[in-house]
Amino acid sequence: MTTRRVRARRGEGALLREEILRAAEDLLAESGSEDALTLRAVALRAGVSTPSVYLHFADKEALVEAVCMRVWGEFGRMFRENLGGDPFLALGRCGRAYARFALEHPVQYRVLMMRATAGPGVPPAAAECFRHMVAAVAACVETRVLEGDPEELALGLWSAVHGCVSLMIAQPSFPWPRDKEALIDQIVRVAGFGTAVYSRLPPTPPPSADLAAALDDFGARLASGVEKPRGDEPDGAGG
């Protein structure tokens, strides 16, 4: 139901902006698509005139990005909650939290992370994602479980998890396994262990048979030295 809002008094601009964003957020939740966020539709829901929306948002793109950014604080909170303890295990927990956030907010993730950048520079959402990833990776570099430049390593790990969730969001009808959490766990572990091993690989890999034997030995030695994980926390590969 749409109600006509009383004209804002001087100094109430921030309040009006918040009401517009709440109206846009409601429309986004109801429709599941940013296509519903026309300035006219949002103005009607908020009970204001369309020109009033233009006072706070230059165009639809600015409004859509602003409403999607409202959930980004939750992303940062989820990431920070998974830090602490062993850095490599924490990195894995952060990767799973990232994937969980993306799949719980598919419209916002698609808008902020899966569309071409319209303006110059790095969008705020991508910049914040990268900052969190680099911090988690840098802790692993300090302990030498990962070796290399934290920013370069973070780009590779980020690309792996982003690629997984982007496919799930963009191709919902694909016959994904019933247990998507298991697939995400696999991607996180492959990316984590792969990154840890990569910097230690020789320039020329050995023949397949020798590589398989060396990997079998490596896996057996790791398994014998790792305690059984407590609770439901997976072991290894970044958590």
Side-chain angles (χ1 to χ4, degrees), residues 44-124:
L44 285 171
R45 174 60 66 94
V48 301
S49 65
T50 303
S52 295
V53 180
Y54 276 110
L55 290 175
H56 297 274
F57 304 98
D59 51 29
K60 176 183 174 178
E61 289 300 308
L63 173 62
V64 169
E65 181 168 339
V67 73
C68 289
M69 283 296 292
R70 286 167 70 84
V71 302
W72 219 245
E74 182 183 346
F75 166 79
R77 177 187 60 77
M78 290 176 65
F79 216 93
R80 289 188 297 271
E81 284 179 351
N82 284 284
L83 295 174
D86 184 276
F88 196 50
L89 298 180
L91 180 63
R93 292 194 299 269
C94 288
R96 294 180 185 89
Y98 181 105
R100 193 178 310 117
F101 174 87
L103 297 179
E104 289 176 355
H105 303 89
V107 179
Q108 291 91 336
Y109 190 83
R110 184 172 63 244
V111 168
L112 295 173
M113 302 298 293
M114 296 172 59
R115 299 196 306 178
T117 303
V122 179

Side-chain angles (χ1 to χ4, degrees), residues 10 35 84 129 134 188 190 212 221:
R10 184 182 297 276
D35 294 339
C129 276
V134 171
V188 169
V190 168
R221 285 189 289 114

Side-chain angles (χ1 to χ4, degrees), residues 116-206:
T117 303
V122 179
E128 185 171 354
C129 276
F130 188 55
R131 178 170 57 82
H132 286 303
M133 289 293 297
V134 171
V137 169
C140 293
V141 172
E142 289 180 6
T143 63
R144 292 195 61 248
V145 65
L146 300 182
E147 293 189 345
D149 179 80
E151 292 193 355
E152 292 182 3
L153 296 174
L155 277 174
L157 291 165
W158 184 19
S159 298
V161 181
H162 169 76
C164 176
V165 296
S166 295
L167 277 173
M168 288 183 175
I169 292 171
Q171 303 295 333
S173 298
F174 188 81
W176 299 106
R178 181 173 300 177
D179 189 354
K180 291 184 180 179
E181 287 285 340
L183 175 60
I184 291 169
D185 182 66
Q186 177 186 344
I187 298 300
V188 169
R189 289 169 64 85
V190 168
F193 273 121
T195 301
V197 171
Y198 177 75
S199 63
R200 296 165 169 87
L201 291 177
T204 302

Side-chain angles (χ1 to χ4, degrees), residues 4-25:
R4 177 55 58 184
R5 187 182 186 279
V6 177
R7 181 182 179 86
R9 294 189 295 272
R10 184 182 297 276
E12 292 185 344
L15 179 60
L16 174 56
R17 186 178 190 276
E18 176 64 20
E19 291 180 4
I20 292 170
L21 284 173
R22 278 204 303 266
E25 198 168 39

